[in-house]
Amino acid sequence: MTLMAVPVIDIAAASSPEGRLAVARAVGEACRDIGFLVITGHGVPKTLIERVERTARDFFELPTAEKTALKRPREDQVRGYSAVGDEGLSYSLDEKAPGDLKESFSIGPIDVPDTAYFTGPAAGPHFAPNLWPGQIPDFRESWSAYFEAMSELAATLMRLFGISLGLDADFFGDKIDRHISMFRVLNYPAQTEPPLPGQMRAGAHSDYGSLTIVKIEDRPGGLQVFNKEGEWVDVPAVPDAFVVNIGDLMMQWTNDLWTSTLHRVVNPPVDRAGDSRRQSLVFFHQPNYDALVECLPGCRSPDRPAKYPPVTSGDHLRSKFVKQTTFGAGLVEGA
Ligand SMILES: O=C(O)CCC(=O)C(=O)O
Ligand SMILES: [Fe+2]
């Protein structure tokens, strides 16, 4: 049977050797069928999540000039502030639409070592310095701690992925030990004016990297996933849980055995639009920039040859992110 709705999986048992295999199997089934799961038993402290939610809210409530002072420095850098309408996620799939009805603030790796791997030309935009709104108390501390907690949780999930794919539990270890993940909080403001035709809170897209961990807020106008029957289904809002989905690189690693599922954030119904502010915490886990993603040994056969040419994590991310920020126009080199 193929799952058509997003399953809820308690991953607490994965911390014991006896429980690990059953959790890995359930996770693998979700990744294969619908590409999304909701996890409970993840061990991330509620107080940490609340600190990030609070500091993010304080940031988005700042006057526009204070927010734009921390604007994303370049179109290929996932850092700083991006205003409502500044990005279009559907452009990552070359689909045109008016800009998404969201604003965001993004950070990347914390405490980056001052060595050539991280700061030399090969690192491109992936270890660019973070921007911090110094006027918001506890912002830098809570976001840094959250980035680390998400990095650990992602590593746990990648071990479960390894097990469920019949690989060594540490197969992905040396491909994610210098990961170029991004953490962004998205604020979807209440809608006081009707959206333009085709405009959404976040246009339909698949995520780019290995996996994404999202803390959603149960508000009108939320996250929907496109299942294998071609229906858009709502992601269940489970208190204290995280939504997890796999991204394109995991789909390419598994030669399409796992699904990087199309998803979107819809507009609220008109009668709730004025009271529909929604905030989500999104951690995009992205392997080391030089990790070469190519079909895993167990995922191809004479009947199922490798579908994708090998690609590095860094090149794949940069090309997708630039489409999202330039509405498909591409980067003007040297700008
Ligand atoms: O806000 C959400 O629930 C999800 C946003 C999303 O899919 C993304 O930013 O990639
Ligand atoms: Fe997404």
Side-chain angles (χ1 to χ4, degrees), residues 89 186 188 205 207 214 216 223 263 265 278 280 284:
L89 278 174
L186 298 165
Y188 302 89
H205 66 283
D207 289 349
V214 195
I216 61 172
L223 181 59
H263 54 284
V265 181
R278 174 181 185 272
S280 57
F284 299 98

Side-chain angles (χ1 to χ4, degrees), residues 88 91-92 94 322-331:
Y91 281 84
S92 63
D94 302 316
V322 166
K323 285 184 184 187
Q324 161 183 342
T325 55
T326 63
F327 298 94
L331 203 63

